[in-house]
Amino acid sequence: MGTVLGLSFRQLGGRWRLTIIFLLVALQIGLAITVKVLAGEEEDFVEGFINIMLDGLLVGAVLPLVTMALATASFGNEMDDRTLSYIVLKPLARWRIALPKLLASIVIAGPILALSGAFSTVLGLDADVQTAAAVGVGLFVGVAAYASIFTWLGLRSSRALAFALVYVLLWEGLISSFIHGVDYLSVRGYTLAIMHGMDTEALTVLEVRTIEFPAAAGGAALAIVAFFWLTVRRLQRMDVP
């Protein structure tokens, strides 16, 4: 399993992927600073920052984009260059192949997004440790859930990145914004609810559109486990050239 994990790190740690990740992270930190400097004294600044910067930009865009850039490529590289057979033919249980692929995406994206999100929150809201931790933990859970979904998708289709974009734009973005019940089946909904549940006072703006904290934590855990199981099952059943 360690060999597969090391191979996954080398594949996902390519220059262009890391460049995209750091550009997106730098963008949201830079915007947080700019917004704070230009509009920090306005009466409704806190509400606007949480709605636009935290929810709209960080959770709604940066989180899924960074994670999909990594996770859809976890198996995508082997699928494209037809080297998956070399891994599958090894005497390894299929979960020992799927788990390192999932962990590689989480280990790369999770800390970067959690720390940058917490840092942006401190800069923008003058937040304390509890609020920063709430944002960081919520983002890390969101990375894990998205990574599990997109890793499976990368194994299912050679057009995984395109399907992931459609899923994020339509389901996580458009549909979940207008139909509140969709949040119970939405990674974005889980992420925001975990943030709010960990700091209901500072992030009270999120209360009107988040689900219950236990439902969010349980839903995220279920999504991670379910799509990991689907990935393992796909490896067991697929015909590898």
Side-chain angles (χ1 to χ4, degrees), residues 75 78-79 82-88 155 235 238 240:
F75 284 104
E78 284 91 350
M79 296 285 285
R82 297 181 180 274
T83 58
L84 183 59
S85 57
Y86 294 105
I87 298 176
V88 173
L155 190 60
L235 282 172
M238 69 186 302
V240 181

Side-chain angles (χ1 to χ4, degrees), residues 39-87:
E41 301 301 323
E42 295 185 8
E43 184 177 349
D44 59 348
F45 172 75
V46 172
E47 181 178 353
F49 187 92
I50 293 174
N51 287 334
I52 297 173
M53 295 298 300
L54 184 59
D55 181 8
L57 178 63
L58 185 54
V59 177
V62 176
L63 167 62
L65 288 175
V66 167
T67 310
M68 78 171 65
L70 292 167
T72 56
S74 292
F75 284 104
N77 291 334
E78 284 91 350
M79 296 285 285
D80 291 339
D81 58 23
R82 297 181 180 274
T83 58
L84 183 59
S85 57
Y86 294 105
I87 298 176

Side-chain angles (χ1 to χ4, degrees), residues 113-150:
L113 288 176
L115 291 174
S116 64
F119 185 57
S120 297
T121 304
V122 171
L123 290 175
L125 298 177
D126 296 323
D128 58 16
V129 174
Q130 181 180 354
T131 307
V135 171
V137 171
L139 288 171
F140 193 91
V141 172
V143 167
Y146 273 132
S148 188
I149 295 170
F150 295 149

Side-chain angles (χ1 to χ4, degrees), residues 9 15 19 24 26-27 64 89 123 132 148 158 193 209-210 230 238:
F9 278 129
R15 181 177 300 176
T19 299
L24 288 171
L27 172 65
L89 291 175
L123 290 175
S148 188
S158 60
R209 61 179 183 276
T210 54
L230 288 173
M238 69 186 302

Side-chain angles (χ1 to χ4, degrees), residues 2 8 16 38 51 71 103 156 194 206 215 234:
S8 300
W16 75 268
L38 296 179
N51 287 334
L103 288 178
R156 288 289 305 178
I194 289 171
L206 297 174
R234 174 63 176 168

